[in-house]
């Protein structure tokens, strides 16, 4: 018999299913080949603190749920989408393929709700101060993931090639073009030429279905690994409690199970939104036509778009520089606000966060209404 | 055709009804199913006491009191008020249909009112007598409440199902028995009864969600509640199949065509909502099974999620039922825009007479002016369509040309989801002009008439079927 | 009469093609009966809210006891005022649907807001009751929300139903506001009419307080509360009757010539109107004259006079409506297709249902100790 098989750790024995049972045999078979008991044990002990803000811990799982919906519906759409005939193939999806319109609407709504959930996840993490050491890299990977999600949105929006998606993308890329030095180069690079054409689709499509998925899967893996290794952060108010008053849910088996009905409800919500407000397919894009009135980027780009409008003419560069500082500042936060419990810097960070959130909401609303 | 049309911007009158009704359906079904739950839980508590576990019995009653408080406030404040709300809203959205229902069914409604009065009083006697009543009286009151409240469903179901499947009733014979016990009456009654049990159980899970995970009663209450949900969730699809078999042929066809994509379907919204009901039902089932296997982890959030799934599923089902009647508000008798079927059957002398003279609810307008067109829209289309909101007219007419619009009104009823156009060529021209002006044109009816004459052979549609919603427009 | 075209410029819809399911007189009788019950519940509930607001002004133990009692029964009163409001609304749609549906659409945006207002006011009464031990700070605003909500609902009802009686205004209003975003504000009778319906509120809640005060008199240790409750109840009766009399006088004064002549001309309807006034004024007598004692009899007497007075007012008010509409409709001419079987079913259900409920009401109330407010625990 081969001696390369690992022995079952004695501390594992009492917690495995009975050796005679099928599950018990399978577990031992696996553990003999993959001696990961310490990891299993670590995960089994993972717990989620119970306090009045506990609900926010569910946001990450919600983002992941929407992401899974995107993967599944995205694959289904890929079956019929043809980048050579973008508008015609989408029209076929909504008019001929059984349930095609439904799947497309769900993909649309899940995309929007995923970005919304990311914002909620980001701000709840920020205000619970979960970014502080040792979780700097979780925060940074989270920020990059948020950026990737927005890139998903931007690249996917063009694919139907209808009037609205075409002109909104053109407006969006023209903002990139205004960036100093590299702006023109970057814009030409994503467009595949001086204007948005079908060549742009040939760049956006692989970006949307290959490049971004690879990047995001890798980063999600890193982000989740960080969370699993370090555990869920506890807010200062919870840490301040005497130990006997600190209550926890087990992560697996309790917290995660209680989240299942929430995911189910969000899935039903997607179908409900698709039923009530299906995603429209506008007339095919005509690059020669003049842009219809009131073309705007998607709502999650509106605040930046509106903010840039505050810097007309020669001030534009300043506006772009200031706007570019925002993500840098967000990356820097955990390296600057490090104290647990929060000190003066921590309180200032919270105030800045409130101001930032208010600004984001106000700018988005302003952009939406104007 | 005889009343003013309530022209609600963005929403439309129909959606106002729906918003109130969707919520009412949840609460009213809960008001009955929750009664069954109260009765069963009272009986359970009594059995625990009799079997020598009085402390468990008391704890169940403690839970039951929380349930009853929630039940009382929720069903009387939201259920009863939104019930009145539906009545208010339908009288605004379709005065003629409401009037007909009331004149036909007033004593059925009056009887239902008596039932409701008794039901309400029994609930108060049960709840306010909590401290002093004998336990066996409480069990009786809960049971009586359930039975009496179920009779309110027995009555209202006759009126609701009548609107979709009037059976042997006609406006001439006014046959009350045929109207009440119409073809879809029984399947609808059983379907709703089972749904009620499901919602009563969800209410139990909702109250149990607030209990501490350490409370040993929590798991038992969750499982007791789930026993109301799981069998019901299995039965609903079977009962729906029975209900389905009683629906008008046109409805069945409409739904099936909606599945095969938008191009082949005439009205996909109805199919989408039916899918929603099915998905929600399956999700509720899955969520409750999770609760059954891990009852201690049911949190308020998880329970609210279950309730919201039920709410969305009911929304799908009720939207489906409402759309199934298209283009009628009373199937075969009165169209959604209050046009009487008998006026259509009377032929062109009525149907093609100058519309505004017949409609009367309008100020003096210049013939074929855009105002003329707007009043035709308001009095003939605004019952269902808004300008730029729910079921908007703007996006649906975006690719239209004057001659196409003028021609299209002649045939818009043929696919079977809209009533026939009422009025003369001048009315059609005025409406076409007003619609096209929504897209920045400045036409009046005369321009449209000229364009229509020029196109001696009516041009083929510039678009796919313009009946299609916006997402399908080329 | 069924053809609106007879009235040039007035787009009056024809009567419903189904006709009436019972003779108009019978339906009117049912409408009068149920509307009386509705108004009694309205006045009791609104009066309770008013007296609770009053009791909060200068709280003392007696007033707190009164407010606690009224706060417990007010949500029930509200529940029954809505329930008893349903049949009269059903019957008004049956008899006067041509007018009522039309006017409702004309003020549609406001009319539908009755529903959120109902939920607000009713919800506020429950919130008021359920928060009184935990969060006394928010009791005042909640009570005001209930009060303003109820008054707004009354105003909207009077607005719509006066518009239903004046078809001459319709077409102009509809042309200007097809979304129903307007009110019948040009109608001079609105506020007086509202007072004829709601003026008796303090009195209706007052007699109940008064009766409760007399019952409490027997309970040991609660003499002071009993005395204060009785005196508050009696005063409220006086105030309510005064407001109502002023409201009725203003209403008669603002009526158009036709209906006013009907009421002041010396015929049957003058007698009926006078009877309403006399009955309501008679409610003052026990309040002024009764000696203190433990039986609620004088309060019951006073309350009976108030209810009968309201019932007479309801008759008079409907006769006034017919006078308004005499050019447009005559109820006896509407075709009747009787549904006798359904009528019998309704009557039997009503008798059995009320008997069953009363039986259980007595059974439950008998077990409640004297002087205790009904409670849930």
């Amino acid at each position: 018999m081969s001696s390369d098989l690992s022995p079952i750790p004695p501390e594992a024995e009492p917690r495995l299913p009975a050796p005679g049972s099928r599950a018990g045999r399978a577990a031992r078979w696996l553990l003999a080949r993959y001696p990961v008991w310490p990891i299993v044990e670590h995960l089994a002990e993972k717990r989620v603190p119970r306090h009045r803000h506990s609900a926010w811990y569910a946001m990450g799982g919600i983002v992941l749920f929407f992401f899974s919906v995107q993967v599944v519906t995205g694959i289904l759409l890929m079956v019929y989408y043809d980048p050579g005939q973008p508008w015609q193939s989408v029209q076929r999806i909504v008019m001929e393929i059984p349930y095609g319109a439904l799947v497309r609407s769900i993909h649309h709504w899940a995309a929007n709700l995923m970005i919304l959930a990311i914002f909620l996840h980001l701000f709840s993490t920020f205000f619970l101060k979960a970014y502080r050491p040792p979780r700097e890299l979780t925060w940074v990977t989270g920020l990059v993931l948020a950026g990737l999600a927005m890139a998903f949105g931007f690249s996917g929006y063009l694919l139907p090639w209808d009037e609205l998606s075409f002109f909104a993308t053109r407006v969006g890329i023209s903002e990139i073009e205004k960036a100093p030095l590299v702006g023109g180069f970057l814009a030409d690079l994503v467009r595949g030429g001086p204007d948005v054409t079908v060549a742009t689709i040939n760049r956006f499509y692989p970006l949307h279905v290959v490049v971004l998925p690879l990047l995001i899967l890798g980063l999600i893996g890193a982000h989740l690994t960080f969370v699993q290794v370090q555990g869920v952060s506890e807010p200062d108010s919870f840490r301040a409690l005497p130990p006997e008053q600190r209550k926890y849910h087990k992560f697996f088996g309790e917290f995660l199970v209680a989240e299942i009905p929430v995911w189910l409800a969000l899935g039903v919500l997607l179908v409900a939104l698709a039923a009530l407000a299906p995603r429209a397919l506008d007339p095919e894009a005509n690059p020669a036509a003049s842009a219809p009135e009131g073309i705007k980027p998607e709502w999650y780009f509106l605040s930046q778009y509106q903010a840039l409008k505050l810097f007309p003419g020669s001030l534009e560069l300043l506006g772009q520089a200031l706007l570019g500082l925002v993500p840098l500042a967000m990356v820097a936060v955990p390296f600057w606000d490090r104290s647990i419990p929060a000190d003066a810097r921590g309180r200032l960070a919270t105030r800045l966060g409130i101001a930032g959130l208010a600004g984001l909401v106000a700018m988005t609303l302003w952009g939406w209404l104007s | 055709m005889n009343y003013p049309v309530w022209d609600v911007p963005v929403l439309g009158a129909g959606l106002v009804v729906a918003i109130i009704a969707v919520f009412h359906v949840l609460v009213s079904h809960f008001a009955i199913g929750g009664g069954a739950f109260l009765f069963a839980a009272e009986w359970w508590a009594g059995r625990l006491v009799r079997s020598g576990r009085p402390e468990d019995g008391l704890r169940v009653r403690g839970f039951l009191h929380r349930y009853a408080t929630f039940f009382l406030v929720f069903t009387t404040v939201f259920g009863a008020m939104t019930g009145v709300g539906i009545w208010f809203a339908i009288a605004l959205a379709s005065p003629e249909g409401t009037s007909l229902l009331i004149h036909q069914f007033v004593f059925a409604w009056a009887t239902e009112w008596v039932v409701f009065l008794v039901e309400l009083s029994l609930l108060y006697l049960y709840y306010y007598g909590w401290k002093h009543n004998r336990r066996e009286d409480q069990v009786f009151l809960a049971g009586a409440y359930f039975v009496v409240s179920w009779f309110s469903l027995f009555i209202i179901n006759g009126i609701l199902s009548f609107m979709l499947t009037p059976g042997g009733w006609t406006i001439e014979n006014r046959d009350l028995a045929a109207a009440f016990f119409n073809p879809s009456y029984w399947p609808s009654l059983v379907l709703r009864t089972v749904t009620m049990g499901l919602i009563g159980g969800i209410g139990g899970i909702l109250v149990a969600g607030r209990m501490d995970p350490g409370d040993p009663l929590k798991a038992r209450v969750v499982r007791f509640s789930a026993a109301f949900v799981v069998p019901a969730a299995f039965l609903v699809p079977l009962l729906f199949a029975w209900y389905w078999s009683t629906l008008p042929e046109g409805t069945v066809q409409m739904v099936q065509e909606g599945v095969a994509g938008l191009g082949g379907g005439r009205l996909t919204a109805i199919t989408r909502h039916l899918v929603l009901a099915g998905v929600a039902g399956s999700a509720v089932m899955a969520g409750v099974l999770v609760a059954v296997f891990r009852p201690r982890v049911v949190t308020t959030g998880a329970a609210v999620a279950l309730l919201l799934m039920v709410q969305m599923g009911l929304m799908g089902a009720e939207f489906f039922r409402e759309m199934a009647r298209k283009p009628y508000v009373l199937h075969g008798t009165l169209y959604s825009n209050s046009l009487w079927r008998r006026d259509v059957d009377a032929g062109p002398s009525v149907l093609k007479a100058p519309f505004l003279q017949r409609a009367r609810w309008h100020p003096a307008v210049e013939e074929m002016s855009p105002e003329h067109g707007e009043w035709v829209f308001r009095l003939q289309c605004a019952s269902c369509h808004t300008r730029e909101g729910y079921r908007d007219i703007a996006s649906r007419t975006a690719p239209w040309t004057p001659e196409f619009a003028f021609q299209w009104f002649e045939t818009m009823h043929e696919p079977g989801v809209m009533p026939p156009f009422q009025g003369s060529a001048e009315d059609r021209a005025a409406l076409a002009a007003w619609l096209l002006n929504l897209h920045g044109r400045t036409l009046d009816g005369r321009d449209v008439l000229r364009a229509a004459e020029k196109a001696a052979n009516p041009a083929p549609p510039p678009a796919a079927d313009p009946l299609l919603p916006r997402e399908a427009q080329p | 009469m069924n053809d609106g075209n007879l009235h040039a410029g007035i787009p009056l819809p024809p009567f419903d093609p189904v006709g009436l399911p019972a003779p108009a007189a019978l339906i009117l009788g049912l409408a009068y009966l149920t509307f009386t019950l509705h108004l009694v519940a309205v006045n009791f509930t609104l009066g309770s809210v008013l007296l609770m607001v009053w009791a909060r002004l200068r709280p003392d133990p007696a007033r707190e006891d009164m407010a606690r009692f009224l706060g417990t029964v007010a949500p029930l009163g509200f529940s029954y005022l809505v329930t008893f409001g349903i049949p009269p609304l059903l019957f008004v749609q049956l008899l006067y649907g041509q007018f009522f549906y039309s006017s409702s659409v004309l003020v549609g945006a406001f009319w539908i807001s009755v529903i959120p207002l109902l939920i607000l006011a009713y919800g506020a009464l429950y919130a008021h009751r359920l928060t009184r031990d935990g969060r006394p700070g928010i009791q005042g605003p909640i009570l005001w929300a209930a009060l303003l909500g109820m008054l707004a609902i009354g105003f909207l009802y009077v607005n719509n139903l006066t518009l239903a009686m004046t078809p001459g205004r319709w077409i102009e209003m509809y042309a200007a506001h097809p979304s129903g975003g307007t009110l019948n504000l040009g109608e001079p009778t609105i506020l007086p009419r509202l007072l004829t319906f709601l003026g008796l509120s303090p009195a209706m809640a007052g007699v109940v307080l008064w009766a409760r005060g007399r019952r409490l008199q027997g309970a040991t240790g609660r003499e002071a509360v009993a005395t204060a409750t009785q005196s508050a109840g009696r005063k409220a009766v006086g105030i309510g009757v005064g407001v109502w009399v002023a409201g009725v006088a203003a209403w008669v004064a603002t009526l158009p010539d036709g209906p006013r002549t009907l009421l002041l001309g010396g015929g049957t309807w003058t007698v009926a109107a006078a009877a309403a006034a006399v009955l309501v004024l008679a409610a003052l007598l026990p309040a002024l004259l009764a000696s203190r004692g433990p039986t609620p009899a004088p309060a019951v007497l006073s309350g009976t006079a108030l209810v009968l007075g309201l019932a007479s007012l309801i008759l008079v008010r409907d006769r006034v409506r017919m006078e308004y509409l005499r050019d447009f409709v005559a109820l006896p001419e509407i075709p009747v297709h009787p549904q006798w079987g359904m009528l019998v079913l309704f009557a039997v259900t009503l008798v059995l249902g009320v008997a069953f409920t009363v039986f259980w009401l007595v059974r439950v109330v008998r077990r409640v100790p004297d002087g205790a407010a009904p409670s849930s625990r």
Side-chain angles (χ1 to χ4, degrees):
Chain A
M1 290 304 286
S2 163
S3 57
D4 285 348
L5 289 178
S6 313
I8 307 294
E11 69 272 21
E13 275 299 343
R15 299 178 56 187
L16 290 174
S21 70
R22 194 168 297 172
R25 277 202 303 273
R28 283 170 184 78
W29 189 89
L30 281 169
L31 270 183
R33 279 147 189 87
Y34 306 100
V36 292
W37 181 252
I39 298 179
V40 174
E41 203 164 31
H42 175 82
L43 293 182
E45 274 165 19
K46 191 181 166 189
R47 49 193 198 164
V48 179
R50 278 167 66 190
H51 50 79
R52 47 195 282 256
H53 303 298
S54 291
W56 295 111
Y57 293 131
M59 290 319 300
I62 287 171
V63 174
L64 212 51
F65 167 77
F66 284 128
F67 180 73
S68 335
V69 172
Q70 289 307 78
V71 172
V72 174
T73 53
I75 290 172
L76 289 176
L77 289 172
M78 269 177 80
V79 172
Y80 293 101
Y81 181 75
D82 174 1
Q85 294 184 307
W87 188 85
Q88 288 76 5
S89 61
V90 175
Q91 194 195 29
R92 191 167 159 244
I93 289 173
V94 295
M95 294 180 72
E96 288 173 32
I97 309 302
Y99 301 105
L102 192 71
V103 171
R104 175 170 182 253
S105 287
I106 291 176
H107 195 71
H108 162 80
W109 278 109
N112 282 284
L113 291 186
M114 180 170 102
I115 296 209
L116 183 66
I118 287 175
F119 279 129
L120 294 175
H121 185 40
L122 192 152
F123 279 104
S124 57
T125 308
F126 184 87
F127 291 120
L128 289 172
K129 298 200 157 295
Y131 52 76
R132 291 174 302 192
R135 297 186 174 79
E136 297 96 326
L137 289 184
T138 321
W139 171 254
V140 173
T141 47
L143 286 177
V144 179
L145 281 169
L148 285 178
M150 289 169 86
F152 259 117
F154 190 70
S155 57
Y157 196 72
L158 178 69
L159 299 184
W161 197 248
D162 64 3
E163 235 167 43
L164 193 66
S165 72
F166 171 79
F167 286 107
T169 305
R170 190 149 82 173
V171 170
I173 297 184
S174 70
E175 294 297 326
I176 302 180
E177 199 163 18
K178 291 176 191 157
L181 303 175
V182 293
F185 170 74
L186 273 180
D188 284 354
L189 183 70
V190 294
R191 279 191 301 235
D195 198 2
V196 176
T197 60
V198 181
T200 318
I201 292 222
N202 286 332
R203 291 172 183 234
F204 274 33
Y205 186 53
L207 188 70
H208 190 76
V209 303
V210 180
V211 180
L212 290 172
L214 285 177
L215 287 175
I216 208 166
L217 280 175
L219 263 178
I220 288 174
H223 191 74
L224 289 183
T225 309
F226 295 161
V227 175
Q228 294 302 331
V229 170
Q230 292 173 331
V232 177
S233 108
E234 299 173 1
D236 295 351
S237 57
F238 185 81
R239 286 163 173 269
L241 292 175
E244 67 278 7
Q245 284 184 28
R246 280 185 240 158
K247 291 186 180 161
Y248 295 89
H249 287 296
K250 280 200 161 153
F251 182 77
F252 293 97
E254 286 186 0
F255 186 77
L256 212 55
V257 174
E259 242 190 287
I260 294 175
V262 177
W263 295 335
L264 286 168
L266 291 171
V268 177
L269 175 69
L270 288 175
V271 181
L273 287 169
L276 278 177
R279 178 74 173 121
L281 179 62
D282 281 340
E284 184 173 8
N286 176 7
S290 57
E293 268 175 52
I295 284 282
K296 280 178 220 164
E298 282 280 83
W299 62 272
Y300 40 88
F301 291 118
L302 262 183
S303 60
Q304 300 93 298
Y305 180 71
Q306 195 65 27
L308 281 178
K309 280 193 188 168
L310 289 177
F311 300 94
S314 54
L315 289 176
E316 196 148 36
L317 221 66
L318 176 68
Q320 289 199 327
L322 287 177
L323 216 54
L325 283 179
V326 173
L328 290 180
M330 287 171 80
V331 169
V333 167
F335 303 97
W336 176 71
D337 169 23
R338 304 165 54 85
S339 165
I340 301 175
D343 57 3
R345 278 187 184 183
R347 288 187 289 275
L348 180 61
T350 301
R351 272 185 225 124
L352 287 174
I354 291 171
L357 178 60
L360 180 71
V361 171
M363 280 304 203
T364 306
L365 283 179
W366 186 18
W368 189 58
L369 295 173
S370 65
Chain B
M1 216 30 277
N2 296 301
Y3 285 92
V5 173
W6 188 33
D7 185 356
V8 184
V10 184
L11 297 177
L15 199 58
V16 174
V17 177
I19 289 169
I20 303 174
V22 159
F23 187 54
H24 177 73
V25 169
L26 177 76
V27 187
S28 60
H29 284 63
F30 178 50
I32 303 175
F37 188 92
L38 281 176
F39 173 65
E42 278 286 354
W43 183 81
W44 179 33
R47 204 189 55 176
L48 286 171
V49 172
R50 281 193 304 277
S51 64
R53 284 185 288 169
E55 281 174 15
D56 283 357
L58 278 181
R59 284 228 302 281
V60 169
R61 277 184 194 140
F63 158 77
L64 203 50
H65 189 262
R66 271 178 293 195
Y67 186 92
T69 306
F70 168 64
F71 183 80
L72 179 88
V73 175
F74 194 55
T75 60
T76 60
V77 175
F78 294 102
M81 299 305 116
T82 49
V84 178
I86 293 183
W87 184 20
F88 270 58
I90 61 169
L92 291 172
S94 179
E96 216 136 6
T98 310
S99 173
L100 190 147
L101 288 179
I102 282 185
H103 285 81
Q104 182 66 58
F105 291 108
V106 67
F107 288 119
W109 249 311
T111 309
E112 195 219 349
W113 170 75
V114 175
V115 168
F116 180 72
L117 183 67
V118 175
E119 160 193 340
L120 193 69
S121 305
L122 289 174
L123 180 62
Y124 291 143
L125 293 174
Y126 170 81
Y127 184 76
Y128 288 92
W130 194 278
K131 196 161 70 177
H132 303 291
N133 283 354
R134 289 193 313 220
R135 293 320 303 183
E136 55 270 33
D137 283 0
Q138 286 295 82
V139 179
F140 179 84
L141 283 170
Y145 167 84
F146 165 61
V147 172
V148 172
S149 62
W150 182 80
F151 269 100
S152 67
L153 167 75
F154 185 88
I155 298 170
I156 200 71
N157 181 57
I159 301 168
L160 262 181
S161 54
F162 160 77
M163 294 168 77
L164 176 56
T165 55
W169 177 94
T170 63
I171 185 90
E172 288 79 24
N173 71 17
R174 292 180 296 270
D175 183 340
L176 191 70
F180 192 87
F181 295 106
N182 60 74
S184 64
Y185 178 82
W186 293 109
S188 169
L189 181 70
V190 184
L191 189 58
R192 285 182 186 274
T193 303
V194 167
T195 308
M196 278 162 190
L198 187 151
I199 296 173
I202 295 286
I205 296 179
L206 197 65
V207 178
R210 293 191 64 84
M211 295 166 80
D212 192 84
D215 189 338
L217 186 65
K218 179 164 182 158
R220 298 177 64 184
V221 169
V222 167
R223 292 204 170 117
F224 179 82
S225 308
F228 278 72
V229 181
V230 176
F234 271 114
L235 280 172
V236 163
L238 301 178
L239 293 168
F240 182 79
W242 179 22
Y243 178 71
W244 177 259
S245 71
T246 64
L247 292 183
E249 203 182 316
T251 305
V252 172
Q253 203 184 340
M254 211 148 68
V255 174
Q256 286 165 344
E257 288 178 358
V259 174
L262 291 169
R266 298 183 307 205
L267 182 81
T268 57
I270 189 174
T271 313
R272 289 198 302 264
H273 282 93
L274 192 56
V275 169
L276 170 62
V279 169
S282 317
V284 169
M285 182 74 164
V288 171
L289 287 178
V290 168
V292 169
F293 288 114
R294 303 307 288 253
R296 273 161 205 267
V297 306
V298 174
T299 56
T300 305
V304 169
L306 286 173
L307 186 74
L308 290 179
M309 282 183 249
V310 173
Q311 173 70 89
M312 289 187 280
L314 285 176
M315 183 184 87
E318 295 294 321
F319 268 72
F320 162 78
R321 188 184 52 73
E322 285 289 312
M323 289 183 201
R325 260 193 342 251
K326 275 175 178 268
Y328 293 105
V329 67
L330 293 174
H331 204 274
T333 297
L334 184 65
Y335 285 99
S336 303
N337 62 353
S338 296
L339 167 66
W340 291 90
R341 174 61 191 257
R342 59 180 181 195
D343 286 347
V344 176
D345 296 339
S349 64
V350 178
L351 201 61
K352 302 214 167 173
F355 176 69
L356 289 189
Q357 279 178 33
R358 238 160 46 81
R360 291 182 292 138
W361 277 94
H362 57 84
V365 291
E366 187 198 330
E367 171 101 339
M368 288 207 276
S369 62
E371 292 73 41
H372 176 179
E374 179 168 20
W375 279 99
V376 173
F377 169 80
R378 179 169 291 135
L379 295 169
Q380 210 172 134
C381 323
S383 307
C384 305
H385 292 286
T386 63
R387 289 156 188 78
E388 287 177 326
Y390 185 64
R391 291 206 279 242
D392 71 302
I393 209 77
S395 71
R396 283 167 168 78
T397 59
W400 284 15
T401 61
E403 58 276 17
F404 173 77
F406 182 77
Q407 198 58 41
W408 186 79
F409 296 137
E410 285 273 78
T411 56
M412 65 180 195
H413 56 284
E414 282 171 7
V417 290
M418 285 174 62
F421 184 85
Q422 313 165 53
S424 59
E426 287 75 18
D427 292 317
R428 282 191 282 143
L431 177 58
W434 179 78
L435 282 174
L436 291 161
N437 290 354
L438 290 179
H439 305 288
R441 314 277 290 265
T442 48
L443 303 169
D444 72 9
R446 279 167 288 271
D447 303 322
V448 175
L449 278 184
R450 268 194 299 275
E453 273 164 33
K454 209 182 285 172
N457 289 328
D465 190 340
L467 253 186
L468 291 177
R470 179 161 158 222
E471 62 270 27
Q473 293 292 356
Chain C
M1 159 215 98
N2 265 352
D3 188 350
N5 282 325
L6 284 180
H7 309 287
I10 294 178
L12 183 67
F15 198 86
D16 192 274
V18 174
L20 285 177
L26 191 68
I27 296 168
L28 278 176
L30 289 170
Y32 296 156
L33 176 70
T34 50
F35 192 51
T36 306
L37 293 172
H38 170 63
L39 272 193
V40 169
V42 167
N43 279 284
F44 169 71
T45 311
L46 180 64
S48 299
V49 175
L50 284 168
L51 290 180
M52 281 190 273
V53 170
W54 163 81
R56 289 183 61 85
L57 293 180
R58 228 162 14 93
D60 61 38
R63 289 186 187 186
E64 271 164 24
D65 182 85
M66 287 180 234
R68 203 173 177 82
F69 168 75
L70 292 173
T72 304
V73 290
L76 292 174
F78 200 99
S79 173
Y80 282 101
L81 87 82
V82 174
T83 308
F84 286 127
I86 290 169
L89 197 61
L90 202 57
F91 297 134
V92 84
Q93 295 186 17
L94 199 60
L95 295 168
Y96 302 108
Q98 302 150 275
F99 307 94
F100 174 80
Y101 293 126
S102 303
S103 64
S104 299
V105 172
L106 300 188
V107 295
F110 286 98
W111 184 237
I112 197 70
S113 67
V114 165
I115 302 305
L117 285 169
L118 277 175
I119 294 175
L120 170 85
Y122 191 9
L125 288 182
Y126 264 118
H128 177 259
R129 186 180 126 66
L130 294 173
T131 57
R132 67 183 169 200
D133 295 321
R135 311 188 51 190
I138 55 170
Q139 295 257 287
I142 290 180
L143 210 50
W144 277 100
L147 178 63
L148 295 178
M150 290 184 75
L151 291 175
I153 293 166
F155 177 75
L156 291 174
Y157 261 85
V158 173
N159 219 287
N160 186 5
L161 283 144
T162 50
L163 183 59
M165 299 191 300
T166 46
R169 296 184 185 150
W170 289 352
I171 195 68
E172 206 176 316
M173 282 175 77
Y174 185 54
H177 301 277
S179 304
T182 181
L183 283 169
N184 187 28
L185 293 176
E187 170 64 47
T189 62
I190 284 184
L191 284 180
R193 193 180 161 95
L194 194 59
L195 280 182
T196 66
F197 288 137
L198 303 182
L200 282 179
S201 300
M204 209 63 89
V207 288
V208 175
L209 266 194
W210 179 19
R212 175 177 159 81
R214 293 181 70 95
R215 290 282 300 266
L216 281 179
Q217 209 161 295
T220 42
R222 308 196 63 184
E223 291 81 5
V225 171
T227 310
T229 307
Q230 287 185 50
S231 121
R234 288 160 84 156
K235 274 183 207 149
V237 172
I239 292 169
V241 170
V243 173
W244 184 85
V245 169
V248 171
W251 178 59
V252 174
T254 49
L255 282 175
D257 288 345
R260 195 174 56 229
T261 315
L262 178 83
L263 294 189
L264 298 179
T268 320
W269 291 98
T270 310
V271 177
V278 168
L279 280 164
V280 168
L281 286 169
L284 285 176
L285 289 178
L288 291 171
L289 303 178
S291 58
R292 289 180 54 203
T295 63
V300 171
L301 208 61
S302 213
T304 311
L306 290 176
V307 173
L308 291 177
L310 261 185
S312 318
L313 173 81
I314 283 166
L315 292 180
V316 170
R317 164 216 61 128
D318 194 50
R319 185 60 188 82
V320 165
R321 167 158 54 200
M322 290 176 189
E323 193 61 25
Y324 266 90
L325 296 179
R326 64 182 305 158
D327 292 341
F328 303 101
V329 70
L331 294 181
E333 293 170 23
I334 296 170
V336 177
H337 303 284
Q339 301 176 353
W340 296 120
M342 286 304 293
L343 190 64
V344 170
L345 179 72
F346 165 64
V348 170
T349 318
L350 185 63
V351 170
L352 290 180
V354 169
F356 180 73
T357 309
V358 168
F359 170 80
W360 274 94
L361 180 70
V362 171
R363 194 175 158 127
V364 167
V365 167
R366 253 198 346 218
R367 304 184 71 89
V368 178
D370 258 11
S375 89
S376 58
R377 274 276 193 191

